[in-house]
Amino acid sequence: DRVANRIGLISLLQERFEAKTREEWAQLLEGKGFPLGPLRTVKEAFNCEQAKARGMVEAMEHSAGETIHLPRSPISFSPSKAIPPSSAVSAA
């Protein structure tokens, strides 16, 4: 069974990962051939400069009368004029 040692493995990995800070792991793994980016808490993600610059946080009024902050979709489209299907075929 491929998960027979799962509990022990999770315990071992947790112990190893807790031995270094997030920044230490990032330095250790940087440039090793796989994508690497910061792992943030929800609060950090909502307050980071990249999220602010991309408009990734939406403030909304809750029915209880308070403002809540929600993540926006990471997918955005530039404004462009729609091309009717017949025009698109003849333009090619």
Side-chain angles (χ1 to χ4, degrees):
D1 184 20
R2 67 181 187 89
V3 294
N5 297 312
R6 181 175 187 212
I7 293 173
L9 179 60
I10 289 172
S11 178
L12 176 67
L13 289 173
Q14 183 173 355
E15 183 180 314
R16 296 290 170 108
F17 284 130
E18 289 175 350
K20 296 187 184 312
T21 66
R22 169 174 57 181
E23 291 77 16
E24 290 171 326
W25 281 113
Q27 279 186 328
L28 182 68
L29 298 171
E30 186 74 35
K32 300 292 192 238
F34 57 91
L36 176 68
L39 180 62
R40 297 183 169 110
T41 65
V42 173
K43 184 176 182 178
E44 290 169 337
F46 272 67
N47 290 313
C48 80
E49 291 302 316
Q50 183 179 14
K52 291 176 183 177
R54 293 195 64 221
M56 298 302 300
V57 180
E58 181 76 29
M60 299 183 75
E61 289 299 317
H62 189 274
S63 60
E66 61 188 63
T67 301
I68 59 172
H69 296 88
L70 302 169
R72 295 185 70 190
S73 172
I75 301 170
S76 62
F77 300 97
S78 61
S80 61
K81 186 176 178 181
I83 301 172
S86 59
S87 300
V89 172
S90 62

